[in-house]
């Protein structure tokens, strides 16, 4: 019996192992692995796209998926018409993009965006509003030759820029040279030297940024609809439902009973306890936030470790390059990348700079000035007094406010979750079904008027009824309309977009603002920025904020 059972047991175990191997489904290869890494084994993971070890796998997968969708839609569509059998072009483009992303990553990690977000950008918006209102006041005067000179020309005289004409047209050569400089700093020498490859990549970036993105985001209806999306859904439907659904409840006189008194008492206790729990939670959250702000929460970038991580990640990509018979990058580029990362190596750490009372950035000053200019608060006594009081409180708490705003920026806005959300939203918006969706149709003038009226109504709903006359003046509708009027001209908005893009490029690539940057590469970033950091600014206010960035 045992001799007859033993083979059956062995056979059954063998059969179960076979069934387990058969029934175990093999995960299909993703689009990124099929297009970008066709030589990788089926069960292997994709190489890391970012050099930072703290990058989550979800961000790496979503970024590779976005790159694969973009290359399949915009590159593979015309490359397959040239040759159908070359499968090495997309992996080679992926390698170049990986090099660019990692170079940009090291620069972004070593850049402090607090001065850009809290000083330069609010100052640019404030100056845009002031110049627009000044130009609008001169339209029907002798300064405009009795109305012969349009508003964009008057605005261009106040904010001249070599990259923008008076009609709001962008000079492509300006950004072509800027993107070429970025490619020179990001690409290896063997990839930057071929002119055809560099020109193709540069023209693709130029077309996407200059011809597609900037003209779209500078349209007044696009800005107004974006603000509407940020404000959330309206409250009209919720406020109208109870009034329509509830029948008249005053047909019968009220009858007081012990049951109704008990229900009223318990409801009041529940409301009081709920308010108490909310206050306790707010108090605990405030204490936790204050403790986190007082500690050096923003990590100080260790440039040596970042450079080592960058090299390690490039070595992880080398097997994929070897599989495609591509030579690895030269060591000169790795040394050049490490030298570019160490631009800030000799600058004092951020927590040491903030500990000095003479080096506080006053991050709350420019946003408050921007809010005051947007809603013309200085023209009314109540709002002017409230704004001056708030400015004095923020000035007295300058060290804490600087740390608090920096903490909010790096934990709420520039966090990994927000970047992952933006990447997923961009992927679903640009490629709804895996391919580019139909081109968006601009709204008609009637639809643009409806969007503007909806924005005015939603902004008026955000202000409490009792506080609206105090903070918005006797005519809140007129104040809100004056707040969005400076964004109604696309040609004027083009100046603001170009100035903000210049400030962003100068923050990430500070050597672009220095004449003869090739010979001054050994200088420190603050020293090089002081040489030619005021040419791009439209006014002394922005010059002062740029000086704050370099302190």
């Amino acid at each position: 019996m045992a001799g007859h059972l033993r083979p059956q047991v062995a056979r059954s175990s063998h059969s179960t192992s076979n069934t387990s191997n058969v029934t175990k489904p093999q995960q299909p290869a993703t689009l990124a692995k099929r297009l970008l890494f066709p030589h990788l084994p089926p069960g292997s993971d994709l190489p890391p796209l970012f050099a930072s070890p703290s990058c989550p796998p979800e961000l790496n997968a979503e970024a590779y998926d976005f790159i694969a969708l973009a290359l399949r839609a915009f590159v593979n569509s015309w490359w397959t018409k040239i040759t159908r059998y070359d499968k090495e072009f997309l992996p080679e483009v992926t390698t170049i993009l990986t090099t660019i992303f990692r170079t940009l990553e090291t620069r972004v990690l070593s850049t402090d965006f607090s001065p850009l977000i809290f000083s330069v950008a609010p100052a640019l918006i404030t100056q845009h509003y002031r110049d627009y209102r000044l130009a609008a006041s001169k339209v029907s005067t002798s300064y405009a030759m009795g109305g012969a000179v349009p508003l964009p020309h008057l605005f261009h005289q106040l904010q001249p820029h070599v990259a923008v004409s008076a009609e709001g047209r962008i000079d492509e050569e300006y950004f072509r040279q800027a993107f070429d400089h970025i490619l020179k700093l990001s690409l290896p020498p063997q990839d930057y030297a071929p002119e055809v490859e560099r020109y193709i990549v540069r023209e693709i970036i130029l077309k996407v940024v200059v011809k597609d993105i900037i003209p779209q985001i500078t349209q007044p209806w696009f800005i107004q609809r974006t603000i509407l999306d940020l404000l959330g859904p309206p409250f009209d439907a919720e406020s109208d439902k109870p009034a329509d659904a509830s029948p008249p409840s005053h047909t019968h006189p009220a009858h007081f009973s012990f049951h109704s008194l008990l229900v009223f008492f318990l409801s009041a206790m529940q409301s009081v306890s709920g308010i108490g729990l909310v206050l306790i939670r707010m108090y605990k959250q405030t204490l936790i936030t204050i403790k986190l702000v007082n500690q050096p929460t923003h990590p100080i970038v260790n440039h040596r470790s970042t450079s080592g991580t960058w090299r390690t990640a490039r070595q992880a990509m080398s097997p994929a390059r070897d599989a495609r018979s591509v030579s690895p990058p030269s060591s000169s580029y790795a040394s050049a990348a490490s030298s570019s990362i160490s631009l800030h190596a000799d600058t004092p750490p951020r927590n040491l700079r903030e500990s000095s009372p003479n080096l506080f950035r006053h991050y709350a000053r420019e946003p408050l000035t921007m809010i005051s200019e947007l809603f013309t608060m200085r023209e009314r006594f109540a709002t002017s007094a409230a704004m001056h009081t708030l400015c004095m409180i923020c000035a007295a708490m300058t060290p804490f406010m600087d740390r608090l705003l920096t903490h909010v920026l790096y934990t709420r806005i520039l966090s990994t979750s927000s970047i992952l959300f933006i990447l997923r939203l961009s992927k679903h918006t640009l490629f709804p079904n895996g391919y580019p969706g139909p081109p968006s149709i601009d709204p008609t003038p009637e639809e643009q008027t409806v969007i503007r009226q909806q924005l005015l109504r939603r902004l008026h709903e955000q202000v409490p009824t009792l506080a609206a006359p105090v903070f918005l003046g006797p005519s809140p509708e007129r104040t809100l309309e004056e707040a969005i009027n400076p964004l109604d001209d696309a040609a004027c908005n083009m100046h603001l977009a170009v100035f903000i893009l210049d400030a962003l490029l100068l923050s990430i690539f500070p050597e672009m603002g220095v004449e003869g940057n090739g010979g001054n590469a050994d200088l420190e970033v603050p020293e090089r920025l002081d040489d030619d950091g005021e040419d791009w600014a439209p006014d002394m206010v922005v010059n002062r904020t740029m000086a704050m960035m370099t302190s």
Side-chain angles (χ1 to χ4, degrees):
M1 291 288 293
H4 293 288
L5 288 176
R6 193 173 294 110
Q8 295 179 359
V9 173
R11 189 181 303 110
S12 62
S13 62
H14 181 68
S15 61
T16 55
S17 63
N18 290 334
T19 55
S20 62
N21 293 332
V22 172
T23 57
K24 183 179 180 181
Q26 185 177 3
Q27 295 182 356
T30 60
L31 178 65
K33 183 176 291 186
R34 287 188 283 108
L35 289 182
L36 309 182
F37 302 96
H39 299 282
L40 288 180
S44 60
D45 297 332
L46 295 175
L49 179 62
F50 302 97
S52 177
S54 60
C55 178
E58 295 82 4
L59 183 59
N60 190 74
E62 290 292 337
Y64 268 129
D65 194 16
F66 186 85
I67 293 175
L69 291 174
L71 293 182
R72 183 179 67 176
F74 302 113
V75 177
N76 201 37
S77 57
W78 57 266
W79 180 251
T80 52
K81 296 179 180 179
I82 299 176
T83 171
R84 299 177 54 186
Y85 304 102
D86 188 3
K87 304 299 182 181
E88 302 295 333
F89 183 69
L90 293 185
E92 200 62 37
V93 173
T94 305
T95 305
I96 298 174
L97 290 178
T98 302
T99 305
I100 296 176
F101 285 162
R102 288 177 179 173
T103 305
L104 293 178
E105 179 192 5
T106 53
R107 284 183 171 268
V108 168
L109 291 177
S110 60
T111 301
D112 185 10
F113 290 97
S114 299
L116 174 65
I117 301 298
F118 300 117
S119 297
V120 178
L124 289 173
I125 297 174
T126 303
Q127 194 63 34
H128 175 83
Y129 269 70
R130 290 175 180 174
D131 291 342
Y132 183 91
R133 288 166 178 168
L134 181 59
S137 64
K138 297 179 179 180
V139 170
S140 301
T141 62
S142 59
Y143 291 96
M145 300 177 63
V149 180
L151 176 62
H153 286 258
L154 295 175
F155 185 84
H156 180 73
Q157 295 176 4
L158 297 174
Q159 289 193 10
H161 196 287
V162 296
V164 186
S165 63
E167 294 80 12
R169 291 192 296 268
I170 298 180
D171 185 9
E172 296 182 2
E173 189 62 30
Y174 177 86
F175 288 100
R176 184 176 287 111
Q177 297 299 325
F179 295 149
D180 189 84
H181 182 81
I182 294 174
L183 292 177
K184 183 178 181 181
L185 296 174
S186 304
L187 289 175
Q190 62 269 20
D191 290 326
Y192 180 80
E195 294 183 353
V196 177
E197 178 182 347
R198 185 172 77 251
Y199 289 171
I200 290 176
V201 176
R202 187 185 64 188
E203 293 302 321
I204 291 175
I205 299 175
L206 182 70
K207 194 263 180 184
V208 172
V209 176
V210 176
K211 295 184 179 181
D212 295 339
I213 296 180
I214 296 182
Q216 183 78 4
I217 64 176
T218 54
Q219 295 297 323
W221 61 266
F222 184 86
I223 299 175
Q224 296 167 7
R225 193 165 64 181
T226 303
I227 299 175
L228 276 174
D229 295 337
L230 293 176
L231 292 177
F235 299 97
D236 297 336
E238 288 79 358
S239 60
D240 294 338
K241 285 182 180 179
D244 298 335
S246 60
S249 58
H250 299 286
T251 56
H252 300 284
H255 296 281
F256 295 99
S257 62
F258 178 75
H259 178 71
S260 60
L261 291 176
L262 182 61
V263 170
F264 175 77
F265 177 75
L266 293 178
S267 301
M269 290 295 296
Q270 184 179 5
S271 301
V272 172
S273 61
I275 295 174
L277 292 176
V278 170
L279 293 177
I280 293 173
R281 184 177 180 180
M282 291 177 59
Y283 175 74
K284 291 183 178 180
Q285 188 65 33
T286 303
L287 290 180
I288 294 174
T289 305
I290 292 175
K291 291 180 180 179
L292 292 176
V293 168
N294 290 329
Q295 295 175 359
T297 56
H298 186 64
I300 302 172
V301 180
N302 189 351
H303 304 285
R304 295 182 179 178
S305 62
T306 306
S307 177
T309 307
W310 186 84
R311 293 194 186 95
T312 304
R314 282 200 60 87
Q315 292 175 2
M317 289 288 294
S318 59
R321 295 182 62 96
D322 296 338
R324 299 194 301 271
S325 300
V326 178
S327 59
S330 61
S331 59
S332 60
Y333 177 66
S335 61
S338 61
S339 63
S340 64
I341 298 170
S342 61
L343 287 174
H344 301 275
D346 297 331
T347 58
R350 186 171 292 108
N351 57 353
L352 296 180
R353 287 184 291 172
E354 292 181 355
S355 62
S356 177
N358 298 325
L359 295 180
F360 291 128
R361 302 302 183 95
H362 301 278
Y363 287 150
R365 179 171 53 190
E366 292 299 337
L368 292 177
T369 305
M370 180 188 68
I371 295 174
S372 177
E373 184 66 29
L374 260 63
F375 298 100
T376 60
M377 291 185 173
R378 299 185 183 276
E379 298 180 1
R380 297 177 297 275
F381 176 76
T383 55
S384 179
M387 184 57 63
H388 279 294
T389 304
L390 185 59
C391 289
M392 288 189 295
I393 295 175
C394 293
M397 302 172 59
T398 297
F400 176 76
M401 291 300 298
D402 289 350
R403 292 192 295 266
L404 176 63
L405 293 177
T406 305
H407 172 77
V408 172
L409 175 65
Y410 285 101
T411 56
R412 301 293 182 181
I413 302 177
L414 299 181
S415 60
T416 305
S417 58
S418 60
I419 296 175
L420 185 60
F421 172 77
I422 294 174
L423 186 60
R424 289 174 176 172
L425 181 62
S426 303
K427 186 180 70 173
H428 291 300
T429 303
L430 297 177
F431 310 101
N433 298 320
Y435 290 90
S440 59
I441 301 176
D442 295 344
T444 61
E446 293 78 10
E447 294 174 348
Q448 296 179 17
T449 304
V450 172
I451 294 175
R452 178 184 174 85
Q453 296 300 326
Q454 290 178 353
L455 177 61
L456 290 174
R457 184 170 61 253
R458 292 299 318 283
L459 290 175
H460 188 57
E461 292 176 356
Q462 301 299 318
V463 183
T465 306
L466 299 178
V470 178
F471 291 98
L472 299 179
S475 179
E477 294 80 6
R478 180 181 177 183
T479 303
L480 294 176
E481 189 173 358
E482 291 179 353
I484 65 175
N485 281 340
L487 301 176
D488 285 344
D489 194 283
C492 299
N493 296 337
M494 191 70 69
H495 289 74
L496 178 61
V498 170
F499 278 123
I500 292 179
L501 183 58
D502 282 349
L504 178 61
L505 293 179
L506 284 177
S507 299
I508 302 177
F509 302 94
E511 60 270 22
M512 294 179 62
V514 181
E515 184 178 0
N517 49 26
N520 297 333
D522 55 340
L523 298 179
E524 297 180 2
V525 173
E527 186 178 351
R528 288 186 285 132
L529 277 177
D530 288 340
D531 294 338
D532 195 15
E534 300 180 357
D535 293 343
W536 67 275
D539 193 75
M540 293 300 295
V541 178
V542 184
N543 294 338
R544 174 168 52 84
T545 54
M546 287 297 297
M548 292 168 56
M549 291 180 61
T550 60
S551 61

